[in-house]
Amino acid sequence: HPAFGWPFLNESCIIDFPAATVSVENTLDHTGRLALSPSSRWPQVLGREGKDVDISRIPPPSAQCHDLAVMQEFKEGWYAIRSGESGVGFALSWDVEVFPYVWFWQNYRGSPDYPWWGGEYVIALEPVTSRALSFGDAVKNGTALTMPGRKRIQTELTAWAFESKTPVTKITSAGLEF
């Protein structure tokens, strides 16, 4: 679970991600700021209050919300998260054939009950094989990864630490492009 929290994560952080659709299919608890929606275009997602929310911008801890969005239909597998204050950043790239979805878990001091008790300020951006929170749900919605017997899947994820306040526009095997 590639996760990011204090002291790196703050309201100056911005997530760079290639063109994608975003869906919100699950309500994690009553503190969610995002409305259930089948799809929208990155980074705008319909909020519970009826206005678009730019999920590429990290809200402050005072937001007190807890959501899960799923990015899909992207042609390139990568993201970067960078601090607008310090310019310090982290980037990850992967094979979209193996990981065609990314879970974007957002806990901005929401989730007032067990196990977080409203005290966590953290996000996770996780490339995944299925658009579901459980294997059973992945089978039901047709996104469970399957493979023939006696076969294997080999893949790579590549991580970079970088320093730049300029948006990342692409990541290739040669590195980051700004």
Side-chain angles (χ1 to χ4, degrees):
H1 305 287
F4 310 91
W6 290 105
F8 169 71
L9 190 73
N10 62 45
E11 58 267 26
S12 80
C13 287
I14 301 164
I15 298 167
D16 299 317
F17 199 90
T21 60
V22 183
S23 61
V24 179
E25 300 170 354
N26 297 291
T27 301
L28 298 177
D29 63 44
H30 71 279
T31 65
R33 68 180 177 150
L34 305 178
L36 295 178
S37 61
S39 87
S40 57
R41 296 300 301 162
W42 170 266
Q44 301 297 322
V45 176
L46 182 64
R48 280 192 176 174
E49 297 178 0
K51 296 179 182 173
D52 281 347
V53 175
D54 181 347
I55 62 171
S56 71
R57 304 282 178 164
I58 304 300
S62 60
Q64 295 184 314
C65 54
H66 185 213
D67 290 288
L68 177 67
V70 178
M71 280 84 89
Q72 58 197 22
E73 298 175 358
F74 42 85
K75 296 191 181 350
E76 301 171 328
W78 63 266
Y79 67 77
I81 180 168
R82 58 193 161 80
S83 168
E85 289 177 352
S86 69
V88 171
F90 173 87
L92 187 73
S93 67
W94 61 91
D95 181 348
V96 297
E97 296 299 317
V98 178
F99 302 109
Y101 307 97
V102 171
W103 289 347
F104 181 14
W105 176 62
Q106 307 152 62
N107 191 347
Y108 305 120
R109 294 221 171 123
S111 189
D113 300 317
Y114 175 84
W116 310 113
W117 306 114
E120 296 301 320
Y121 184 67
V122 61
I123 67 167
L125 287 157
E126 182 172 356
V128 292
T129 60
S130 305
R131 197 189 72 241
L133 293 178
S134 71
F135 179 70
D137 288 344
V139 170
K140 284 179 192 172
N141 71 25
T143 63
L145 178 66
T146 60
M147 56 190 272
R150 297 184 185 212
K151 297 291 181 180
R152 66 180 175 176
I153 295 174
Q154 194 167 352
T155 192
E156 286 185 1
L157 286 90
T158 305
W160 288 270
F162 67 92
E163 187 173 352
S164 176
K165 292 185 180 180
T166 304
V168 175
T169 58
K170 186 176 182 100
I171 298 178
T172 66
S173 59
L176 285 68
E177 295 180 15
F178 299 94

